[in-house]
Amino acid sequence: MSHSPSLPDRPRLELDPEMSEAERLEAIRQHYRRIVHVNDELEDRLEDAQGRRGDLKADVDELKRENEVLKTSSLYIASVEELTEDGVVIKQHGNNQEVLTQAATRLDADLRPGDRVAINDSFAIQQVLDDETDSRAQAMEVTESPDVEYADIGGIDEQIREVREAVEDPLENPEQFEAVGVEPPSGVLLHGPPGTGKTMLAKAVANESDATFIKMAGSELVRKFIGEGSRLVRDLFELAADREPAVIFIDEIDAVASKRTDSKTSGDAEVQRTMMQLLSEMDGFDERGEIRIIAATNRFDMLDEAILRPGRFDRLIEVPEPDAEGRERILEIHTQEMNVADGVDVGAIAGDLEGYSGADIASMATEAGMFAIREGRTEVVQSDFERAGEKLQDVEGTDEQVIHYQY
Ligand SMILES: Nc1ncnc2c1ncn2[C@@H]1O[C@H](COP(=O)(O)OP(=O)(O)OP(=O)(O)O)[C@@H](O)[C@H]1O
């Protein structure tokens, strides 16, 4: 091992055979003192070196931090609009200014329209932003196994049967569809008034077919920056492919798929782009494996026909307001866990609730419980339900939005 020249020499013990016992002892003592001295000196140096190492490390850390700041502080965010032969068209966030620019060569192959990118002062693309670094993931609700079962849904047995056939069967028995030689429906569209159980139905079918439930609200798709809607759609399908078997549920699909009389405004063009992306994802759906897609709307009349073509949302299922029998079943479901007094006539209560949705009935059951609590009772009686029904009717009568209880 070679030592740095500045290090002290290793002391040597030299004993002469001619030496007397006392001389040898003295020589050894001296040697020992020299060793101790060299040792002390080396320890001092080690301490110095460690001190310097600490200082240098602090310098390095400082430089790293500065480097990070330099790398990131001057970058702006933009979205990739288009890849052309002449370069990349980007649109800056904030001022929406469009610029034709270039990307660092290493990024060339990775860029896709809709990507969020970081650009420098001269608009050159420096970085493609990570999925995790933005709000996209937050726009989706992902549940491994939603806690809704078919038995929790009342009054729409026929709709449950149809959804099972279109979603659950192809997920569970793809071979059967292959053997018979038919394609399962591409997408299922649930339409009907608010609060009738469309979301529940989508959750239940995901749960009962052991599929991941991925929900995206249509309104989320249109609220984002330019280019983000179509990117979100792509992410949605990518996520589903990672998590298959999966059920994609797009609520309020009308937000991205409405007929438009005038699509010249830029907002509309953006919504249109998002819808086109959705359609193209659905068109390439056959190869996607175990993913089913369900959408829901309260505004069926508003939908653009393009999304209803074969191969897209080609299984339409109407989820209507419940009839008397349905309302009775829904009321039974929502009072199952409640301490309801003997003799309460659920059928008669449900009979009076003409025009109530499942969500209204759920709210009413909770409200009836609140009446009992207010009066210090532990049992819910017939009149509690009647008063709750009247109260809800009053609220609806004022044309105000019905307040649904969250529980
Ligand atoms: N058919 C039903 N059976 C039992 N409960 C129901 C039914 N329909 C609605 N509910 C109750 O109302 C709540 C809201 O229902 P859900 O979200 O499924 O309605 P939706 O049709 O998706 O409404 P929206 O169109 O407003 O999104 C449910 O959590 C449930 O408590």
Side-chain angles (χ1 to χ4, degrees), residues 152-154 194-200 251 298 330 334 358-359 362:
D152 299 331
I153 310 174
T196 45
K198 298 183 288 297
T199 307
M200 285 184 98
D251 202 3
N298 305 327
I330 295 171
H334 287 283

mmCIF file of all heavy atoms in Angstrom, residues 152-154 194-200 251 298 330 334 358-359 362, ligand 1:
data_model
loop_
_atom_site.group_PDB
_atom_site.id
_atom_site.type_symbol
_atom_site.label_atom_id
_atom_site.label_comp_id
_atom_site.label_asym_id
_atom_site.label_seq_id
_atom_site.Cartn_x
_atom_site.Cartn_y
_atom_site.Cartn_z
ATOM 1 N N ASP A 152 -77.930 -4.326 -3.249
ATOM 2 C CA ASP A 152 -78.119 -2.991 -2.658
ATOM 3 C C ASP A 152 -78.927 -2.080 -3.581
ATOM 4 O O ASP A 152 -79.234 -0.946 -3.223
ATOM 5 C CB ASP A 152 -76.765 -2.294 -2.448
ATOM 6 C CG ASP A 152 -75.862 -3.072 -1.500
ATOM 7 O OD1 ASP A 152 -76.418 -3.758 -0.625
ATOM 8 O OD2 ASP A 152 -74.626 -2.980 -1.653
ATOM 9 N N ILE A 153 -79.200 -2.559 -4.778
ATOM 10 C CA ILE A 153 -79.875 -1.699 -5.752
ATOM 11 C C ILE A 153 -81.313 -2.172 -5.933
ATOM 12 O O ILE A 153 -81.542 -3.348 -6.242
ATOM 13 C CB ILE A 153 -79.166 -1.770 -7.126
ATOM 14 C CG1 ILE A 153 -77.656 -1.550 -6.940
ATOM 15 C CG2 ILE A 153 -79.740 -0.735 -8.080
ATOM 16 C CD1 ILE A 153 -76.863 -1.748 -8.217
ATOM 17 N N GLY A 154 -82.255 -1.259 -5.747
ATOM 18 C CA GLY A 154 -83.657 -1.668 -5.805
ATOM 19 C C GLY A 154 -84.349 -1.159 -7.050
ATOM 20 O O GLY A 154 -84.035 -0.086 -7.574
ATOM 21 N N PRO A 194 -81.334 11.947 -12.582
ATOM 22 C CA PRO A 194 -80.316 11.873 -11.533
ATOM 23 C C PRO A 194 -80.767 11.001 -10.368
ATOM 24 O O PRO A 194 -81.971 10.908 -10.084
ATOM 25 C CB PRO A 194 -80.152 13.319 -11.056
ATOM 26 C CG PRO A 194 -80.963 14.172 -11.941
ATOM 27 C CD PRO A 194 -81.831 13.316 -12.795
ATOM 28 N N GLY A 195 -79.818 10.385 -9.726
ATOM 29 C CA GLY A 195 -80.081 9.679 -8.468
ATOM 30 C C GLY A 195 -80.867 8.394 -8.602
ATOM 31 O O GLY A 195 -81.535 7.959 -7.663
ATOM 32 N N THR A 196 -80.815 7.756 -9.775
ATOM 33 C CA THR A 196 -81.600 6.536 -9.946
ATOM 34 C C THR A 196 -80.758 5.262 -9.806
ATOM 35 O O THR A 196 -81.270 4.168 -9.983
ATOM 36 C CB THR A 196 -82.301 6.537 -11.315
ATOM 37 O OG1 THR A 196 -81.361 6.958 -12.305
ATOM 38 C CG2 THR A 196 -83.489 7.471 -11.317
ATOM 39 N N GLY A 197 -79.462 5.433 -9.539
ATOM 40 C CA GLY A 197 -78.637 4.256 -9.272
ATOM 41 C C GLY A 197 -77.658 3.896 -10.377
ATOM 42 O O GLY A 197 -77.100 2.797 -10.386
ATOM 43 N N LYS A 198 -77.394 4.843 -11.289
ATOM 44 C CA LYS A 198 -76.493 4.527 -12.409
ATOM 45 C C LYS A 198 -75.061 4.271 -11.910
ATOM 46 O O LYS A 198 -74.428 3.289 -12.306
ATOM 47 C CB LYS A 198 -76.511 5.672 -13.436
ATOM 48 C CG LYS A 198 -77.897 5.873 -14.050
ATOM 49 C CD LYS A 198 -77.918 6.944 -15.114
ATOM 50 C CE LYS A 198 -77.772 8.348 -14.555
ATOM 51 N NZ LYS A 198 -78.879 8.751 -13.664
ATOM 52 N N THR A 199 -74.613 5.144 -11.020
ATOM 53 C CA THR A 199 -73.257 4.955 -10.484
ATOM 54 C C THR A 199 -73.184 3.667 -9.674
ATOM 55 O O THR A 199 -72.219 2.905 -9.774
ATOM 56 C CB THR A 199 -72.858 6.169 -9.607
ATOM 57 O OG1 THR A 199 -73.053 7.352 -10.365
ATOM 58 C CG2 THR A 199 -71.426 6.072 -9.147
ATOM 59 N N MET A 200 -74.234 3.435 -8.879
ATOM 60 C CA MET A 200 -74.262 2.199 -8.078
ATOM 61 C C MET A 200 -74.141 0.960 -8.956
ATOM 62 O O MET A 200 -73.433 0.016 -8.641
ATOM 63 C CB MET A 200 -75.595 2.071 -7.338
ATOM 64 C CG MET A 200 -75.780 2.953 -6.157
ATOM 65 S SD MET A 200 -77.358 2.535 -5.376
ATOM 66 C CE MET A 200 -76.828 1.459 -4.061
ATOM 67 N N ASP A 251 -68.837 9.296 -15.843
ATOM 68 C CA ASP A 251 -70.092 9.911 -15.431
ATOM 69 C C ASP A 251 -70.248 11.228 -16.205
ATOM 70 O O ASP A 251 -69.258 11.797 -16.636
ATOM 71 C CB ASP A 251 -70.020 10.177 -13.916
ATOM 72 C CG ASP A 251 -71.396 10.300 -13.302
ATOM 73 O OD1 ASP A 251 -72.390 10.114 -14.036
ATOM 74 O OD2 ASP A 251 -71.484 10.569 -12.096
ATOM 75 N N ASN A 298 -77.528 12.186 -17.626
ATOM 76 C CA ASN A 298 -78.904 12.581 -17.330
ATOM 77 C C ASN A 298 -79.482 13.317 -18.530
ATOM 78 O O ASN A 298 -80.627 13.732 -18.509
ATOM 79 C CB ASN A 298 -78.961 13.572 -16.152
ATOM 80 C CG ASN A 298 -78.280 13.033 -14.921
ATOM 81 O OD1 ASN A 298 -78.296 11.845 -14.677
ATOM 82 N ND2 ASN A 298 -77.672 13.925 -14.147
ATOM 83 N N ILE A 330 -86.457 -0.043 -2.676
ATOM 84 C CA ILE A 330 -85.364 0.884 -2.325
ATOM 85 C C ILE A 330 -85.505 1.315 -0.860
ATOM 86 O O ILE A 330 -84.525 1.374 -0.110
ATOM 87 C CB ILE A 330 -85.357 2.121 -3.265
ATOM 88 C CG1 ILE A 330 -85.050 1.669 -4.705
ATOM 89 C CG2 ILE A 330 -84.332 3.150 -2.811
ATOM 90 C CD1 ILE A 330 -85.225 2.751 -5.762
ATOM 91 N N HIS A 334 -82.876 0.809 2.228
ATOM 92 C CA HIS A 334 -82.305 1.895 3.027
ATOM 93 C C HIS A 334 -82.783 1.914 4.476
ATOM 94 O O HIS A 334 -82.275 2.696 5.276
ATOM 95 C CB HIS A 334 -82.542 3.240 2.338
ATOM 96 C CG HIS A 334 -81.661 3.420 1.141
ATOM 97 N ND1 HIS A 334 -80.332 3.758 1.249
ATOM 98 C CD2 HIS A 334 -81.893 3.235 -0.179
ATOM 99 C CE1 HIS A 334 -79.793 3.789 0.046
ATOM 100 N NE2 HIS A 334 -80.727 3.473 -0.847
ATOM 101 N N GLY A 358 -84.211 7.127 -6.330
ATOM 102 C CA GLY A 358 -83.572 6.316 -5.300
ATOM 103 C C GLY A 358 -82.815 7.183 -4.314
ATOM 104 O O GLY A 358 -82.846 6.956 -3.099
ATOM 105 N N ALA A 359 -82.129 8.217 -4.857
ATOM 106 C CA ALA A 359 -81.348 9.099 -3.979
ATOM 107 C C ALA A 359 -82.283 9.855 -3.035
ATOM 108 O O ALA A 359 -81.976 10.048 -1.849
ATOM 109 C CB ALA A 359 -80.522 10.069 -4.817
ATOM 110 N N ALA A 362 -83.351 7.513 -0.300
ATOM 111 C CA ALA A 362 -82.261 7.319 0.671
ATOM 112 C C ALA A 362 -82.203 8.504 1.630
ATOM 113 O O ALA A 362 -82.083 8.342 2.850
ATOM 114 C CB ALA A 362 -80.932 7.156 -0.063
HETATM 115 N N1 LIG B 1 -82.014 2.000 -7.323
HETATM 116 C C1 LIG B 1 -81.489 2.346 -6.128
HETATM 117 N N2 LIG B 1 -81.481 1.471 -5.112
HETATM 118 C C2 LIG B 1 -80.949 1.828 -3.918
HETATM 119 N N3 LIG B 1 -80.412 3.028 -3.670
HETATM 120 C C3 LIG B 1 -80.390 3.926 -4.644
HETATM 121 C C4 LIG B 1 -80.922 3.637 -5.932
HETATM 122 N N4 LIG B 1 -80.743 4.708 -6.712
HETATM 123 C C5 LIG B 1 -80.130 5.626 -5.972
HETATM 124 N N5 LIG B 1 -79.902 5.186 -4.721
HETATM 125 C C6 LIG B 1 -79.287 5.928 -3.629
HETATM 126 O O1 LIG B 1 -78.887 7.206 -4.150
HETATM 127 C C7 LIG B 1 -77.488 7.391 -4.129
HETATM 128 C C8 LIG B 1 -77.049 8.010 -5.418
HETATM 129 O O2 LIG B 1 -77.244 7.099 -6.492
HETATM 130 P P1 LIG B 1 -76.315 7.052 -7.772
HETATM 131 O O3 LIG B 1 -75.103 7.910 -7.533
HETATM 132 O O4 LIG B 1 -76.085 5.663 -8.157
HETATM 133 O O5 LIG B 1 -77.238 7.766 -8.799
HETATM 134 P P2 LIG B 1 -76.930 8.203 -10.266
HETATM 135 O O6 LIG B 1 -78.047 7.703 -11.090
HETATM 136 O O7 LIG B 1 -75.555 7.822 -10.646
HETATM 137 O O8 LIG B 1 -77.054 9.759 -10.096
HETATM 138 P P3 LIG B 1 -76.387 10.959 -10.932
HETATM 139 O O9 LIG B 1 -76.977 10.883 -12.273
HETATM 140 O O10 LIG B 1 -76.850 12.139 -10.137
HETATM 141 O O11 LIG B 1 -74.911 10.721 -10.881
HETATM 142 C C9 LIG B 1 -76.926 6.009 -3.893
HETATM 143 O O12 LIG B 1 -75.722 6.075 -3.179
HETATM 144 C C10 LIG B 1 -78.025 5.319 -3.112
HETATM 145 O O13 LIG B 1 -77.906 5.624 -1.735
#
